[in-house]
Amino acid sequence: TDIATGAIDAALLDPALAAEIAAAVPNTRTITAGTGLTGGGSLASDRTLAIDAATLARIGTTVEAASDTAARTSTTAVADGVLEFTAAADTSYRIDAYLIFQGDATADLKIGFTIPAGTLHLTMEGALTTVASGSDYDRFLTLASAATTVVGIAGASTPISVRVTGVIRPTSAGTVALVWAPNATGAGTGVTRLARSQLYYRAVCPPPQGAPP
C-alpha cells in the first residue's frame, strides 16, 4: 500500500486477489428503477426496488385472511375487518372474492359489500337461499346496491364457499368492505369466516388517448 495516498499497489498483491479487486463493482455503480418501479440508487448502501402505485393498481392486489374470525351471532351485517381496500374516487374496480364460511346451519349467512358512494354491481355464486321458502338453489344473483343476499350454511364443521365478482365505481374515496352476519339467530352458535378467504381487486384503467373506444 502507498502510505502517502492509501492506494493499493496491485503489483504487490497475490495475482488471484488482485484479479478479484479489479473485478469488484464500484459503489458508484447505480441501479435505476425502470418503468413501473420506484427505488434504486448507487451501491453505496442497500437498495430496494418496488412496484409503483399506478402499476400496482393496474395489475391488482390480493388480500388474504390469515386467520379465522371469531364466530358472529349478531344478525347485523358489519365489515369483515380484513377483506377490504381503500378505493379512489371516480375509479372503476373489478373485484373477485373467494370466501369460506362455516357455522350454524339454521342461521345461514347474509353477505354483501359496501362502498362510500356510487354504483356497485356484483354477482354471487354459492348455495344461495330464498328467505321466503328456505330452499337452496345454485345460481348467480346480481346486486345493484350495497344490499346483502342470503347464503345457505352447511353446518359447523362443513365449510361452504361463496364467490363474488363484479364491478364497483365509488364516486368518493373510501373503504370498500365485505360485510356479513348470520341471517338469523338460529342455535346461537354463530357463523365464522375462515382463513384463506381472499379478495382480489384491480383498478380498471381507461384506454390510452387516441385509442378506439
Side-chain angles (χ1 to χ4, degrees), residues 81-103:
V82 174
L83 300 178
E84 60 186 39
F85 65 96
T86 301
D90 300 317
T91 302
S92 296
Y93 293 85
R94 291 179 182 170
I95 65 172
D96 190 344
Y98 182 79
L99 311 171
I100 312 168
F101 293 91
Q102 69 180 25

Side-chain angles (χ1 to χ4, degrees), residues 34-38 50-61 86 88 91-93 200-206:
T35 303
L37 298 174
T38 60
I51 300 174
D52 67 26
T55 301
L56 191 60
R58 288 193 294 271
I59 63 177
T61 301
T86 301
T91 302
S92 296
Y93 293 85
Y200 168 83
Y201 63 94
R202 177 173 70 85
V204 180
C205 300

Side-chain angles (χ1 to χ4, degrees), residues 66-144:
S67 59
D68 301 348
T69 64
R72 292 185 177 180
T73 56
S74 169
T75 57
T76 301
V78 295
D80 178 83
V82 174
L83 300 178
E84 60 186 39
F85 65 96
T86 301
D90 300 317
T91 302
S92 296
Y93 293 85
R94 291 179 182 170
I95 65 172
D96 190 344
Y98 182 79
L99 311 171
I100 312 168
F101 293 91
Q102 69 180 25
D104 184 356
T106 60
D108 287 328
L109 167 74
K110 56 185 171 187
I111 185 172
F113 273 83
T114 60
I115 62 176
T119 57
L120 178 152
H121 301 281
L122 300 177
T123 299
M124 297 192 181
E125 180 182 10
L128 303 182
T129 303
T130 57
V131 178
S133 66
S135 60
D136 292 342
Y137 58 100
D138 292 323
R139 72 174 181 84
F140 290 102
L141 178 66
T142 299
L143 301 179

Side-chain angles (χ1 to χ4, degrees), residues 10 13-24:
L13 295 177
D14 175 82
L17 178 58
E20 289 184 14
I21 293 174

